[in-house]
Amino acid sequence: MLPHRRDPSFGVHQDMNLLAAQATTICFDPAPRPRPSLSTRRRISEGGFLNLRASISLLTVVAGVFLVLFASSADIGRTRAGEANPSKGDGRVLGAHSKEPPMTSTPLSAQLTARTFARVAPSGIITENHTSQVQSVARVAPERPTLGPHGDTLWQVDDDNAIADGVAIDANDVWGAWTLQGARLSAYPIAGNGTPDFEFSSFGEGSSGVATAKGADRMAFMESNAAGNDFRIHGFRSTSDGTPDWSFSFPVSDPNLPASSRKVAVSYDGSTVASVVSDSITQNSTLYVFEADTGAIRSSRTDSLRMDAVDLTDDGSIALVTEDNLAVLEDTSNGNTIFSVAGSGAGNIFYRISGDGNVFVAGGFDLDVYKFDGTTYQRVIHFSQASSWFGGATIVSRDGSTVGSFGMNYTNWLSGNVVLFDVASAQMIGSYPVSGTGSFQGTPVGAESNDNGTVMAFASWGTEFHDWPEVMVFNRSLELIGQIDFPGSAFGVDVSADGQYVVGSSKHVHANQFGSGGRIELIQLQPQPTPTPTPTPTPTPTATATPTPTPAATARPTPLPRPRPTPAPRP
């Protein structure tokens, strides 16, 4: 297997996820404006013309002086306003919390900007990140269709330099991971106005990821510097006030695989932190499991297969690691493999597990759901749609009752479906189609759920003309109950445990465009009754489902799964 490396033709970081997968055959359907008329010009006398020219010259000089004085006073006013409203933490000034960003904003000279593309390979989806320095980039909020309000915006945070890459929410705070210039962790109280309680960064620029415990006051912040050769992880509480409770510097790093929110997880009870990192020298990846209160390493495991993401059960006893195209369940007490199975693709992918560990979902070219039958895991749902990718935005609810996925047609990334499944019956609940136009990719990039699956949110890059909201929120009847309309692409999303709040993070322009700046926005949903929908007997005509459990293919010899008693509480 050839390792992914940096492409010298770009000279920038790329996330090249060309990895092994099940054999899959993919077929690809492969006047200047007229000048105004001059016929109406008048003749004037030479003397009159000279007098008129003198008058115009005098007026021009006076107007120029006035404009200089006006601009100077405006600059002074802006400077004083900035001095009068410093942000908390490291002194950054937050943008105004308006419903829409300014129409134009010019970043600083030599601004570091980025753009991202998704393309298809036989093994899966490759995400390429390109960075560049430009002297000036104008940010323009494009026109968009009028969309009905769904949920109340509580606050917004805008930054003209950093991109809001990852976001996580617990009972009290929204935790934001900002990347590029001004990369940092920001802690925003849910009940506040978007002003952070504190901010933290060791590097000041680079990449970052964030995860939080939904049932406890504990979060983890993962960061890598701009060069990508220094990786660290830190533990925080809401009361940490900008000083980590503990920190750990990873002994390995890979500039092509920077820190991200998919590479760090915190258990629901706040007892366990897990992260995955890669080594550019040996081409190996390592899972680290930490005691959340102290940062002590509980276990670790190294593999030659690349680890792209990690998720944890409620008590942190099982980690689900996305390794190339493998879903690998590991015992966090000793690093031993409990179960593994091959998925249907690799790359831009994130496997998810329920709180009790009985259900996990593996998305790719197909959507596969596995359920523990008391002895081993059986595949209970297999869903496929022509030319679709389900790897970027798939989720299972904490109680294991509901699975959702935002599948997108990878031939142009302009049409797709959000689908929900009832796990108990192995039947589809429904499908919500989207379609758009333009030259930008509407790639799905994230999905989250409340505890019981009655609120599910899906994030995507959106289209050039914003044909659907960048964050869409559904109830279990697949009704759109919330949305966040970003000026650019969504990069992250999270839902509170009770389903009352949804938060999204974004870039100020589309992911396919060079640009910088980002936004974090928090919305509150209207109270929703708990529905009891009847699952759809059969999926859409172009899709297939298999409600009858089938034995799961084991990708490598593994020990028999251990019994699943409730673990004893850790001291």
Side-chain angles (χ1 to χ4, degrees):
M1 179 184 301
L2 293 177
H4 71 283
R5 309 302 297 157
R6 187 185 300 180
D7 186 341
S9 66
F10 293 120
V12 293
H13 298 322
Q14 300 182 62
D15 189 7
M16 302 298 293
N17 300 325
L18 288 169
L19 304 170
Q22 286 181 323
T24 307
T25 302
I26 309 299
C27 298
F28 296 92
D29 298 330
R33 296 173 58 187
R35 299 182 62 184
S37 173
L38 301 179
S39 62
T40 59
R41 291 182 298 176
R42 296 181 179 177
R43 292 182 176 270
I44 58 175
S45 67
E46 181 177 355
F49 175 76
L50 293 175
N51 291 336
L52 179 60
R53 184 171 61 183
S55 300
I56 292 174
S57 299
L58 179 60
L59 289 173
T60 302
V61 171
V62 173
V65 172
F66 175 77
L67 288 174
V68 169
L69 293 174
F70 178 80
S72 299
S73 64
D75 288 340
I76 293 172
R78 281 194 297 268
T79 302
R80 288 176 178 171
E83 291 172 351
N85 295 282
S87 70
K88 288 186 168 185
D90 62 355
R92 295 182 181 89
V93 179
L94 297 176
H97 309 307
S98 62
K99 299 294 284 185
E100 287 294 335
M103 288 304 293
T104 61
S105 176
T106 304
L108 303 174
S109 61
Q111 179 71 41
L112 185 64
T113 68
R115 66 178 179 178
T116 311
F117 291 93
R119 63 183 180 90
V120 183
S123 58
I125 301 300
I126 302 168
T127 304
E128 298 177 345
N129 298 315
H130 309 270
T131 59
S132 176
Q133 281 194 336
V134 297
Q135 291 300 314
S136 178
V137 176
R139 171 164 60 88
V140 179
E143 295 182 1
R144 60 168 61 211
T146 301
L147 298 170
H150 288 281
D152 297 323
T153 298
L154 299 183
W155 48 258
Q156 299 172 344
V157 176
D158 283 290
D159 189 309
D160 278 339
N161 299 322
I163 295 173
D165 187 57
V167 69
I169 189 171
D170 57 26
N172 300 305
D173 295 279
V174 168
W175 303 86
W178 299 85
T179 66
L180 218 60
Q181 292 184 183
R184 65 194 185 275
L185 166 71
S186 299
Y188 305 102
I190 292 175
N193 63 358
T195 301
D197 272 350
F198 66 82
E199 295 186 309
F200 171 84
S201 176
S202 295
F203 301 122
E205 63 180 38
S207 299
S208 61
V210 64
T212 188
K214 294 290 182 69
D217 187 9
R218 169 61 64 194
M219 63 80 55
F221 176 59
M222 184 182 188
E223 59 173 347
S224 56
N225 62 356
N229 56 13
D230 193 350
F231 281 56
R232 302 174 188 174
I233 190 168
H234 313 275
F236 285 92
R237 287 189 173 94
S238 61
T239 56
S240 298
D241 197 25
T243 302
D245 297 340
W246 55 267
S247 299
F248 177 78
S249 294
F250 295 104
V252 298
S253 64
D254 190 334
N256 291 309
L257 298 169
S260 77
S261 295
R262 293 188 172 188
K263 296 179 180 178
V264 59
V266 181
S267 62
Y268 193 95
D269 65 2
S271 67
T272 309
V273 172
S275 62
V276 292
V277 292
S278 297
D279 184 357
S280 61
I281 305 300
T282 65
Q283 301 301 311
N284 292 328
S285 292
T286 301
L287 166 70
Y288 288 88
V289 180
F290 302 93
E291 299 293 342
D293 286 339
T294 64
I297 297 176
R298 183 190 305 172
S299 66
S300 65
R301 188 180 74 85
T302 300
D303 199 317
S304 60
L305 295 178
R306 197 178 90 179
M307 300 179 183
D308 292 296
V310 62
D311 199 13
L312 287 168
T313 55
D314 277 357
D315 60 5
S317 62
I318 298 177
L320 173 58
V321 184
T322 307
E323 293 191 39
D324 290 357
N325 70 318
L326 289 179
V328 181
L329 278 68
E330 298 188 6
D331 186 334
T332 61
S333 66
N334 52 30
N336 291 338
T337 297
I338 299 171
F339 180 84
S340 66
V341 66
S344 57
N348 179 27
I349 201 165
F350 186 14
Y351 301 151
R352 306 301 298 270
I353 194 167
S354 64
D356 59 8
N358 282 335
V359 179
F360 72 88
V361 56
F365 291 111
D366 303 322
L367 179 66
D368 294 309
V369 180
Y370 292 84
K371 187 174 182 180
F372 190 69
D373 64 2
T375 302
T376 188
Y377 288 87
Q378 302 283 352
R379 190 175 71 180
V380 295
I381 296 173
H382 173 74
F383 180 76
S384 181
Q385 233 171 7
S387 303
S388 292
W389 177 254
F390 298 95
T394 295
I395 185 65
V396 57
S397 60
R398 179 191 173 213
D399 64 2
S401 66
T402 312
V403 164
S405 185
F406 189 176
M408 184 64 65
N409 187 320
Y410 54 71
T411 60
N412 57 18
W413 300 105
L414 290 176
S415 63
N417 288 279
V418 174
V419 292
L420 296 185
F421 286 87
D422 178 73
V423 175
S425 65
Q427 293 291 318
M428 178 188 283
I429 295 172
S431 173
Y432 185 96
V434 297
S435 63
T437 58
S439 59
F440 297 160
Q441 298 171 322
T443 311
V445 293
E448 293 294 339
S449 172
N450 69 337
D451 283 356
N452 62 7
T454 57
V455 176
M456 286 195 166
F458 301 88
S460 72
W461 289 349
T463 63
E464 182 176 0
F465 304 110
H466 303 271
D467 298 286
W468 63 81
E470 286 74 29
V471 172
M472 298 185 293
V473 189
F474 300 91
N475 61 20
R476 205 170 184 267
S477 296
L478 210 61
E479 298 168 330
L480 188 67
I481 59 172
Q483 66 189 50
I484 302 177
D485 304 308
F486 285 120
S489 292
F491 278 12
V493 67
D494 202 6
V495 180
S496 61
D498 61 4
Q500 185 178 3
Y501 302 100
V502 177
V503 63
S505 57
S506 74
K507 182 180 175 181
H508 271 157
V509 298
H510 194 277
N512 292 164
Q513 295 176 286
F514 272 120
S516 59
R519 171 182 294 180
I520 293 177
E521 181 169 337
L522 177 69
I523 66 171
Q524 184 175 19
L525 301 178
Q526 299 297 323
Q528 295 288 322
T530 301
T532 55
T534 302
T536 303
T538 57
T540 53
T542 58
T544 59
T546 56
T548 304
T550 57
T554 302
R556 64 178 73 174
T558 57
L560 291 175
R562 58 184 173 79
R564 307 182 60 79
T566 301
R570 295 190 180 89

